[in-house]
Amino acid sequence: MASLRARNGKWQVQVRRLGHSSRTQTFYLKSDAQRWARLMEIELDRTLLPNDVRQLNKITIADLLRRYGETVTPFKRGRIPETARIEALLRQDWTNLSVARGSPLVFSQFRDKRLREVQTGTVRREMNFLSSVFELARKEWGYTALPNPLIGIKKPKDPEGRDRRLRVGELEALMKACRDKTSGLWLRQAIQLAIETALRRGELLGIRWSDVDFNGCLLHVPFTKTGKSRTIPLTERAVDILQELKASSTNADIAFPISPNGFRLAWERCKRRAQKAGCPSISELRFHDLRHEAVSRFFEMGLNTVEVALISGHRDLRMLFRYTHLRAEDVGVKMRSNPR
């Protein structure tokens, strides 16, 4: 609110806004004072939250995390894991510090502590997430006086890309282990389909029968990690798997009516059974490694990089190369069978 008063032949105007220090100016003309007051009120109103450094002592890091979790996270496709990440971060003692005390030292110590507990990739994701929260607070929430304490902090190096592919006997062991009455059939089909299509787990679980073109041997994938839908060609084996799945399905809309957590638990049980049956190496296999296997098989079939990217959905060909792990012995056989 602006207040004007005449003093010594001049007009003194003062503008107050909650969370801001007051602004005062003196003018000879009352009209000038009123015009300045209106402009100052507009300027302060544009700043949604306090821009005074002193006010940063009243806001905690936890306040920023909670606001992000309430206003940004719910609209993300990865809202479930991000919500879990925020809840885990809120259990850290340093989140009770005011944002003014959230120095680079606080977060470098957090980084070092986390590196003793989890993998480097997890630490990088947590640091990137925290940096995004501070940047949003600075740029869109009005905390322009708030520095981003994670800028300049050294982050752990990216972990080397996994080169895990199926080893001899592992696929057979998984197929034999899919004997659970409740998940055996659909899990077997999901494993086989992942190898035939290079779909991610979330993309598999999102398959709807309306997205499958059995006549054209095509599958539309509307929800992807990159946010870009794609339509992929299907191999004959993939079409057979989908037809078999549809014939045995009780759901008229979704191919795999199972939650992500239910899928994960079924996969882990399957691996444990395969391990007990005499396949110890299966314990380190991840479901996502089947995507590595599929992409590598596409290249071994003779598809070029652009064709494989069309199927896998990779927009960065460097990332596609990370997911491609050809066996040296197979390349050697190919070279010897095609002499110059």
Side-chain angles (χ1 to χ4, degrees):
M1 176 179 291
S3 60
L4 282 80
R5 65 172 179 170
R7 185 178 181 183
N8 299 327
K10 300 178 182 179
W11 288 94
Q12 186 182 71
V13 59
Q14 185 177 58
V15 178
R16 291 191 180 95
R17 277 289 186 272
L18 181 63
H20 295 274
S21 57
S22 62
R23 308 291 176 90
T24 305
Q25 189 63 272
T26 302
F27 299 88
Y28 284 105
L29 299 177
K30 183 177 180 181
S31 59
D32 290 340
Q34 292 173 327
R35 186 182 303 109
W36 180 87
R38 287 194 297 271
L39 291 174
M40 188 56 57
E41 287 174 338
I42 292 172
E43 179 182 333
L44 294 180
D45 287 340
R46 284 182 182 145
T47 304
L48 302 179
L49 289 174
N51 189 30
D52 192 327
V53 176
R54 291 171 297 180
Q55 297 298 324
L56 300 181
N57 288 313
K58 301 178 181 180
I59 305 156
T60 66
I61 299 172
D63 292 333
L64 296 186
L65 288 171
R66 292 191 185 97
R67 180 174 179 181
Y68 192 97
E70 293 169 359
T71 61
V72 179
T73 300
F75 302 99
K76 292 186 176 182
R77 289 196 64 242
R79 58 186 176 276
I80 295 176
E82 186 164 282
T83 298
R85 177 176 291 127
I86 292 173
E87 291 174 351
L89 289 172
L90 286 172
R91 292 194 288 270
Q92 300 288 330
D93 292 338
W94 48 262
T95 60
N96 295 317
L97 295 173
S98 68
V99 291
R101 295 180 59 194
S103 65
L105 177 62
V106 170
F107 294 99
S108 61
Q109 290 176 339
F110 167 68
R111 173 202 62 200
D112 296 341
K113 175 176 176 291
R114 290 294 282 163
L115 284 172
R116 295 191 293 270
E117 301 170 343
V118 296
Q119 298 294 321
T120 56
T122 301
V123 180
R124 282 186 64 87
R125 286 189 291 272
E126 290 176 344
M127 293 181 70
N128 288 336
F129 171 72
L130 288 167
S131 182
S132 297
V133 172
F134 278 99
E135 282 300 303
L136 188 67
R138 284 191 335 103
K139 295 178 179 179
E140 297 190 22
W141 294 350
Y143 290 100
T144 54
L146 174 65
N148 185 340
L150 286 102
I151 296 295
I153 294 181
K154 185 177 180 181
K155 297 177 183 177
K157 292 183 179 179
D158 277 323
E160 293 186 9
R162 283 173 64 87
D163 59 0
R164 184 67 160 87
R165 290 188 61 181
L166 286 171
R167 297 170 186 164
V168 176
E170 288 185 336
L171 181 56
E172 292 77 8
L174 286 172
M175 295 297 97
K176 291 179 181 178
C178 290
R179 63 175 186 270
D180 186 276
K181 292 182 179 180
T182 58
S183 63
L185 180 59
W186 65 256
L187 182 59
R188 175 194 291 262
Q189 294 162 331
I191 292 171
Q192 294 173 329
L193 197 58
I195 297 173
E196 292 293 325
T197 61
L199 291 177
R200 302 174 179 92
R201 184 191 66 178
E203 294 169 347
L204 278 172
L205 296 183
I207 294 177
R208 294 182 174 275
W209 294 122
S210 58
D211 294 326
V212 183
D213 179 359
F214 286 103
N215 293 326
C217 298
L218 298 172
L219 172 65
H220 182 64
V221 187
F223 304 109
T224 69
K225 180 181 178 181
T226 61
K228 301 289 184 179
S229 63
R230 67 184 189 275
T231 299
I232 66 172
L234 297 173
T235 64
E236 291 185 13
R237 178 62 182 137
V239 173
D240 291 341
I241 294 168
L242 286 168
Q243 287 177 335
E244 178 185 342
L245 181 62
K246 187 174 184 181
S248 61
S249 177
T250 57
N251 192 298
D253 299 319
I254 303 174
F256 295 100
I258 184 74
S259 68
N261 189 54
F263 190 101
R264 180 184 64 82
L265 294 174
W267 167 254
E268 292 299 330
R269 286 195 298 267
C270 178
K271 286 202 304 178
R272 285 196 296 270
R273 287 194 293 267
Q275 188 177 4
K276 290 179 181 179
C279 187
S281 65
I282 207 76
S283 62
E284 60 173 318
L285 183 71
R286 302 175 186 173
F287 188 82
H288 197 73
D289 292 332
L290 301 182
R291 178 169 162 84
H292 295 215
E293 178 70 23
V295 170
S296 298
R297 289 189 182 193
F298 289 146
F299 278 107
E300 291 168 348
M301 289 167 59
L303 299 183
N304 62 41
T305 304
V306 176
E307 290 168 337
V308 175
L310 169 70
I311 301 172
S312 67
H314 284 98
R315 301 177 65 81
D316 187 340
L317 297 185
R318 292 173 299 177
M319 283 299 298
L320 179 59
F321 184 76
R322 275 189 64 182
Y323 275 71
T324 306
H325 302 293
L326 307 179
R327 294 189 178 94
E329 55 270 27
D330 294 338
V331 176
V333 171
K334 186 175 182 179
M335 293 171 64
R336 289 189 292 273
S337 62
N338 295 281
R340 291 185 178 181

